[in-house]
Amino acid sequence: MRTLLIAEHDGQHLNEQVARAVTAAQHWQQPVDVLIAGAQPDALAAQLAALQGVNSVLVASDAALQHPTAEHLADIIVPLASAYTVVLAAHSAFSKNLLPRVAALLDVNMLSDVLEIQDGNTYVRGIYAGNVLATVHNQDAIQVLTVRGSKFAIAASGASAEIKAVATPAAPQGSRWVSEAFNKSERPPLTAAKVVVSGGRALGSADAFAQVIAPLADKLHAAIGASRAAVDAGYAPNDLQVGQTGVVVAPELYIAVGISGAIQHAYGMKDSKVVVAINQDPEAQIFKIADYGLVADLFEAVPELTAAL
Ligand code: FAD
């Protein structure tokens, strides 16, 4: 009766949601082992070992894991899984790629984006873009799930769990990593930022994002987000999209500028601690989820706000 948590990292840093997933993993009150796979993951393994609640850190270290594929990682996890009753990770593009594969190979169900874990392997998760909360019970011998990090507290550090190596099978031949491209930004990453300023279709151009949204974000040391309409129109890059088909954020402060508040957008930001909306339509849906609403033309209100800050 053990729990296996898969740690996401980029070779340099642990994904900030891992420490939250460690808290989620405590639910079953059984030893929690954390697997980290990488080319040189020793320093990150030591960080994991320091998290309270981690029983041991399993290290799969191999040069071929510099850019691991889901296929390769699944080949590491599946042989380990028979010793576990729970295999989980923080919900992200990484785990959405990996854990369905693991679940399929184990011939068990996959539960994604779990918001709450109840007794007896019962889970609450959002469906229909988060508009309905479904309570589901899973009877599989191995529970495979991803958890919404923002719903769980960050595990404290100060512990010193055991670190041990695990076998790394050769990389599968069917697929291989070719390249990856990042948008370089001085701003905090969207999913980790304490403040997010998001712009919508109303901005009307990429220039307006640069001239209206960016200065406000600079003042607040904020990440920039965007609605899908803004992304589809080419006003903002795809990786800034917040929502059901973008990223889910839960910052201390979310400022929605010229965003109507469609359910698919709300899905990605409604867990924010404080939501501020600036929209010229007093009937806009976003005001229903906003803590503070300003009915105004964004092209006047946002520069004024930036200047006042
Ligand atoms: P609009 O709905 O056009 O809203 C623009 C707002 O700006 C309006 O409320 C208007 O009053 C206001 N406005 C206009 N001019 C001004 C001004 N000068 N000053 C102030 N306010 C002004 N959307 C997402 O965002 N993220 C997703 O992940 C996502 N996934 C989707 C998945 C599916 C399957 C589908 C079907 C849709 C998805 N959408 C998503 C799209 C979503 O339904 C909306 O179409 C989109 O969020 C609208 O973006 P918007 O609010 O920027 O634009």
Side-chain angles (χ1 to χ4, degrees):
M1 301 282 277
R2 305 177 78 83
T3 297
L4 179 65
L5 170 65
I6 316 301
E8 179 180 352
H9 64 95
D10 63 4
Q12 308 285 322
H13 308 282
L14 291 172
N15 181 299
E16 65 281 352
Q17 304 297 327
V18 173
R20 294 180 183 274
V22 167
T23 300
Q26 307 303 311
H27 173 82
W28 291 268
Q29 298 183 334
Q30 54 193 27
V32 175
D33 297 336
V34 184
L35 173 70
I36 182 160
Q40 288 179 315
D42 294 350
L44 297 180
Q47 288 176 29
L48 289 168
L51 291 174
Q52 305 269 1
V54 173
N55 175 70
S56 64
V57 180
L58 312 181
V59 179
S61 178
D62 192 302
L65 291 166
Q66 179 75 31
H67 299 287
T69 60
E71 290 84 345
H72 197 181
L73 292 174
D75 284 353
I76 297 169
I77 295 166
V78 169
L80 297 173
S82 58
Y84 293 89
T85 53
V86 182
V87 177
L88 83 164
H91 189 69
S92 69
F94 165 84
S95 59
K96 281 194 277 185
N97 190 20
L98 174 62
L99 285 190
R101 171 172 290 271
V102 169
L105 291 168
L106 294 172
D107 197 18
V108 297
N109 285 294
M110 162 74 210
L111 288 156
S112 64
D113 205 8
V114 166
L115 307 175
E116 186 189 329
I117 307 166
Q118 299 178 345
D119 289 340
N121 296 335
T122 300
Y123 307 90
V124 178
R125 55 186 298 272
I127 57 172
Y128 303 123
N131 274 318
V132 174
L133 294 179
T135 302
V136 290
H137 176 62
N138 185 7
Q139 292 183 312
D140 285 328
I142 304 177
Q143 308 280 307
V144 179
L145 61 144
T146 62
V147 293
R148 174 94 60 97
S150 59
K151 294 290 184 187
F152 300 90
I154 296 171
S157 56
S160 56
E162 180 190 14
I163 298 177
K164 46 192 181 191
V166 292
T168 310
Q173 297 300 306
S175 61
R176 69 192 167 88
W177 180 89
V178 176
S179 68
E180 62 194 5
F182 293 101
N183 284 325
K184 288 211 168 64
S185 169
E186 299 298 309
R187 297 183 192 286
L190 192 50
T191 50
K194 291 200 162 56
V195 181
V196 174
V197 180
S198 276
R201 193 199 313 264
L203 270 296
S205 69
D207 282 351
F209 256 82
Q211 285 158 19
V212 179
I213 299 295
L216 177 58
D218 288 343
K219 284 279 182 200
L220 296 168
H221 307 292
I224 292 182
S227 71
R228 177 160 156 180
V231 169
D232 286 352
Y235 308 158
N238 184 272
D239 57 340
L240 300 192
Q241 183 177 316
V242 172
Q244 184 191 354
T245 42
V247 294
V248 174
V249 299
E252 303 285 320
L253 172 62
Y254 187 90
I255 305 182
V257 178
I259 291 178
S260 59
I263 52 168
Q264 296 90 352
H265 186 82
Y267 178 86
M269 45 65 73
K270 65 177 187 284
D271 285 339
S272 305
K273 294 242 161 41
V274 175
V275 175
V276 172
I278 301 173
N279 195 306
Q280 66 183 14
D281 175 8
E283 302 298 323
Q285 192 69 19
I286 192 76
F287 289 128
K288 297 206 168 70
I289 43 175
D291 299 286
Y292 298 91
L294 179 62
V295 179
D297 181 348
L298 73 92
F299 293 101
E300 290 171 15
V302 176
E304 272 179 38
L305 175 59
T306 307
L309 284 165

